[in-house]
Amino acid sequence: MQTIQEIDHVTQAEPMRLTALLVTCHMTRVLTVSALVYCHFIVQTSSPTALKLTEVCSSMAHTGTHSQPVRSCLLLVVVSVCVQQVHGVWPLPQQLHQSADRGCLSPQRFSFTYGRDSAAQTGCSVLDAAFKRYFSIIFPDFTKGSENRLQYVWSEPQPFVVSVSVKTGGCDGYPDEDSDESYNLSVSEGQAVLRSVTVWGALRGLESFSQLVYQDDYGSYFINKTEIVDFPRFAFRGLLLDTSRHYLPLHAILKTLDAMAYSKFNVFHWHIVDDPSFPYQSRTFPDLSNKGAFHPFTHIYTQSDVMRVIEHARMRGIRVVPEFDSPGHTQSWGKGQPGLLTPCYKGGVPSGSFGPVDPTIDTTYKFMESLLKEVKFVFPDSYVHLGGDEVSFACWQSNPNVRKFMEKMGFGKDFTKLESFYMESIMNMTAALNRTSIVWQDVFDYHERIPQDTVLEIWKGEKYQAELSRMTQAGHRVLLSAPWYINHISYGQDWRNSYAVQPQNFSGTEEQKKLVIGGEVAMWGEYVDATNLTPRLWPRACAAAERLWSNEEKTLNADLAFPRLEEFRCELLRRGIQAEPLFVGHCKHEYDGL
């Protein structure tokens, strides 16, 4: 029998020659127990050719030894050799260099550690938890107690250490708008070295490392030699969930945060209240949820629920930006706060219905100031979304007290000036609380006097390039969400539309284009609840995530993205994310919940 040393330097097999290998070896019906170990060694070393293996099988045939039970391993060997040797990372890193050289990972000999020069060491809450979390992600079979021990019959597993070094600590803080998420990752024989400026960059690097690990059909884990230099293109990469039109249970939000981290999203825009319901349980105004939620006990987010979401997000490097949209979209508010909404009139008398927040009375502003103070206390992020969109003026127009106020203020019959008066007051309150306001584009379109540091979010239509140009010319930072309203669905591969989105492709100077700080995916809840949230979001949101993270020129082609996204979708399934299929096909590990 030929020895292992005789084929130690051969190169990797080609698919067509593998077919010849299968036919030749299967026809010989020859394999001893020693040959089983031998063939598996060939696969593990990643250095066979089908031609050489065919010669091996032919030589074995001449020995006259037959082993029916072991013969079936040939199928496993061939499939194992066919395992894709180089695995990608989603979203595509800025620089990625990989080799066909690979090493085998053993869960028993694998460990994470802190580099000696790292500012963060054992006891860093963010990274300690990430090490445990990613071990389970990388070795799902091992953590389920079903690791195949036979995979190490050919040799002793070698140790593999992932060394993580960060320049600054910040383990107990929160990610913010200035967080540095860059990282460098070097994977070589027996080790990986991950370096970053912050723990948030380290989290992004750990995610990339986890995606580089793959399994063959025999159950062995591998990783290829890899060099990555990576950083996000945009600092704000958000995802909006609407928890007012349908209440989303806590577990659905937490699972979404997990999936966001897998795609390197870093902002959870929590559109927590709206017209249909007020599920946020306020400390200051408990009647807002007692009377405004779908149900005062089962369909609310308690203070502890909110804290849990914020902490779950923090541990994954995700900011939580709440939205309390006013003066419109506030019907549910009025149920628990009498006098807040404008009474509508018909025929000169109150009709019994109510419109937007009443901007003409002092109690409105006292209420909003108290609510915003609570929001500052509960939500640590420096941003708060104030809404300001889709305000209907019909009720204001019908109300005689509002018309008198308009006349007194010199607004005439221009109700956009009344909305401007209200929004300017709310934005000034927010600034006084040392918070940065985000508002929908309507606020800018009404020519309001907007504080310079206010962030504007574009949500309307297809002609967003002109709006980008106008807003940045006025010196404002801008977020783009208009092309990523993925609650709108269509038959087929609508994720491809993301690859035509170019957030900085508008008429303006380079300085203007730097004011585009990112964008976000929006999942509005008219037709979405916990039953369909996850498959509607994923993997469609992944495409937007890549456009917001990766080099634009390298990610313009949806056809090139397809096989990578298809592979990543399968990875999401294995991680428990019920991501819908991209097209006809299957995953090696289908969704466990089905």
Side-chain angles (χ1 to χ4, degrees):
M1 180 175 177
Q2 295 189 14
T3 65
I4 290 172
Q5 287 75 13
E6 289 180 63
I7 58 165
D8 190 38
H9 301 293
V10 294
T11 57
Q12 195 170 328
E14 297 174 2
M16 292 206 48
R17 290 182 176 178
L18 287 171
T19 304
L21 166 66
L22 175 61
V23 172
T24 304
C25 290
H26 187 73
M27 291 299 292
T28 64
R29 301 186 177 184
V30 176
L31 270 181
T32 65
V33 174
S34 298
L36 167 61
V37 178
Y38 174 55
C39 289
H40 193 221
F41 174 83
I42 292 169
V43 177
Q44 302 287 29
T45 56
S46 304
S47 60
T49 61
L51 180 62
K52 188 65 180 179
L53 284 174
T54 303
E55 294 173 3
V56 170
C57 286
S58 298
S59 174
M60 290 159 58
H62 291 136
T63 68
T65 305
H66 294 72
S67 178
Q68 182 68 23
V70 182
R71 194 181 104 212
S72 59
C73 94
L74 282 164
L75 294 175
L76 293 174
V77 172
V78 172
V79 174
S80 295
V81 176
C82 290
V83 165
Q84 183 179 353
Q85 297 298 306
V86 178
H87 272 223
V89 174
W90 194 277
L92 187 69
Q94 302 292 337
Q95 297 178 34
L96 171 65
H97 301 285
Q98 287 182 303
S99 163
D101 295 337
R102 67 179 185 175
C104 187
L105 305 183
S106 162
Q108 297 99 329
R109 306 296 302 277
F110 180 93
S111 62
F112 291 104
T113 187
Y114 293 93
R116 291 183 178 180
D117 61 343
S118 176
Q121 293 292 334
T122 302
C124 175
S125 60
V126 171
L127 293 182
D128 284 356
F131 292 166
K132 293 179 181 178
R133 186 168 66 249
Y134 277 107
F135 184 90
S136 298
I137 288 172
I138 292 168
F139 303 112
D141 291 341
F142 180 79
T143 54
K144 291 176 184 176
S146 58
E147 187 193 20
N148 188 347
R149 306 299 183 194
L150 186 58
Q151 62 188 283
Y152 302 117
V153 70
W154 57 276
S155 69
E156 281 295 318
Q158 299 300 308
F160 193 99
V161 177
V162 180
S163 173
V164 179
S165 294
V166 298
K167 289 185 178 180
T168 59
C171 296
D172 298 322
Y174 292 88
D176 58 38
E177 59 184 309
D178 298 318
S179 293
D180 188 330
E181 297 176 278
S182 64
Y183 67 93
N184 291 2
L185 177 63
S186 176
V187 181
S188 56
E189 184 176 355
Q191 68 170 348
V193 177
L194 171 60
R195 295 188 176 277
S196 64
V197 177
T198 68
V199 294
W200 318 120
L203 288 177
R204 305 299 172 236
L206 289 170
E207 175 56 41
S208 293
F209 177 86
S210 74
Q211 294 180 28
L212 291 171
V213 179
Y214 58 98
Q215 266 185 302
D216 67 5
D217 284 344
Y218 204 73
S220 297
Y221 295 96
F222 295 97
I223 189 166
N224 288 73
K225 290 184 178 180
T226 307
E227 298 290 334
I228 293 177
V229 177
D230 204 11
F231 53 87
R233 182 184 178 204
F234 292 107
F236 192 112
R237 306 177 307 282
L239 186 151
L240 176 151
L241 290 186
D242 170 9
T243 58
S244 173
R245 290 172 175 84
H246 282 99
Y247 176 83
L248 295 175
L250 195 61
H251 70 82
I253 296 175
L254 300 181
K255 177 178 274 193
T256 300
L257 291 170
D258 290 341
M260 287 174 64
Y262 302 152
S263 289
K264 298 187 176 72
F265 280 108
N266 70 341
V267 180
F268 171 37
H269 175 174
W270 195 351
H271 189 87
I272 193 167
V273 298
D274 206 297
D275 279 330
S277 73
F278 198 107
Y280 171 72
Q281 189 178 60
S282 168
R283 296 178 178 182
T284 315
F285 305 101
D287 276 351
L288 288 172
S289 60
N290 286 341
K291 298 180 180 179
F294 288 134
H295 190 284
F297 302 118
T298 61
H299 286 58
I300 61 169
Y301 302 108
T302 65
Q303 292 290 310
S304 61
D305 290 337
V306 173
M307 290 173 62
R308 187 174 173 190
V309 168
I310 292 170
E311 182 63 8
H312 196 87
R314 183 184 83 88
M315 299 299 274
R316 288 152 182 78
I318 297 173
R319 302 162 56 191
V320 178
V321 175
E323 180 180 357
F324 289 83
D325 189 355
S326 70
H329 293 280
T330 50
Q331 288 298 297
S332 66
W333 302 36
K335 297 174 182 178
Q337 188 63 24
L340 178 65
L341 303 184
T342 305
C344 304
Y345 279 68
K346 187 174 184 180
V349 296
S351 65
S353 62
F354 295 88
V357 165
D358 188 341
T360 70
I361 53 178
D362 292 340
T363 54
T364 290
Y365 299 99
K366 291 178 181 177
F367 165 80
M368 289 302 299
E369 185 174 24
S370 296
L371 181 62
L372 289 171
K373 283 181 178 177
E374 178 181 325
V375 169
K376 174 185 177 179
F377 179 80
V378 174
F379 294 90
D381 199 83
S382 62
Y383 283 20
V384 59
H385 205 304
L386 300 177
D389 64 316
E390 297 182 314
V391 181
S392 171
F393 299 146
C395 187
W396 283 350
Q397 289 172 335
S398 74
N399 187 296
N401 296 324
V402 173
R403 293 198 301 268
K404 287 179 184 178
F405 182 83
M406 295 272 290
E407 185 178 347
K408 174 185 173 183
M409 298 298 293
F411 295 160
K413 295 183 179 180
D414 187 352
F415 285 89
T416 65
K417 292 182 178 180
L418 180 60
E419 183 186 354
S420 298
F421 174 82
Y422 172 82
M423 288 303 300
E424 287 167 21
S425 299
I426 302 305
M427 286 186 286
N428 288 334
M429 282 181 198
T430 306
L433 293 170
N434 198 30
R435 289 292 185 265
T436 299
S437 301
I438 307 178
V439 294
W440 296 109
Q441 71 180 83
D442 313 49
V443 177
F444 176 81
D445 293 343
Y446 289 151
H447 310 293
E448 298 165 25
R449 293 189 296 274
I450 302 172
Q452 197 62 41
D453 69 339
T454 302
V455 177
L456 308 177
E457 183 165 8
I458 298 175
W459 67 274
K460 293 182 180 179
E462 298 177 355
K463 298 181 179 179
Y464 54 82
Q465 289 89 349
E467 191 82 340
L468 282 165
S469 183
R470 287 192 295 269
M471 289 177 173
T472 55
Q473 190 172 20
H476 290 291
R477 290 174 294 168
V478 182
L479 293 171
L480 181 64
S481 63
W484 288 311
Y485 267 43
I486 64 173
N487 52 290
H488 296 157
I489 57 175
S490 59
Y491 188 78
Q493 300 181 25
D494 58 356
W495 61 270
R496 289 176 174 270
N497 298 334
S498 289
Y499 286 85
V501 178
Q502 296 177 283
Q504 293 177 320
N505 184 22
F506 60 90
S507 177
T509 65
E510 287 303 310
E511 290 303 311
Q512 281 180 251
K513 293 180 181 183
K514 290 178 182 177
L515 291 172
V516 180
I517 62 173
E520 67 178 18
V521 167
M523 182 56 72
W524 296 100
E526 288 88 349
Y527 304 100
V528 176
D529 64 8
T531 65
N532 62 347
L533 171 67
T534 300
R536 189 164 293 190
L537 263 178
W538 313 106
R540 296 163 71 229
C542 302
E546 179 157 270
R547 297 293 285 161
L548 291 168
W549 177 280
S550 305
N551 180 289
E552 184 174 80
E553 295 303 316
K554 294 179 180 179
T555 55
L556 284 171
N557 192 321
D559 290 335
L560 293 179
F562 178 83
R564 294 188 302 107
L565 185 55
E566 190 173 44
E567 179 185 331
F568 184 58
R569 181 254 172 176
C570 289
E571 179 63 26
L572 291 177
L573 289 187
R574 193 170 193 192
R575 296 185 182 193
I577 304 300
Q578 198 168 351
E580 70 178 14
L582 295 173
F583 195 55
V584 176
H586 81 290
C587 292
K588 178 179 175 181
H589 302 280
E590 297 288 5
Y591 184 72
D592 285 343
L594 299 180

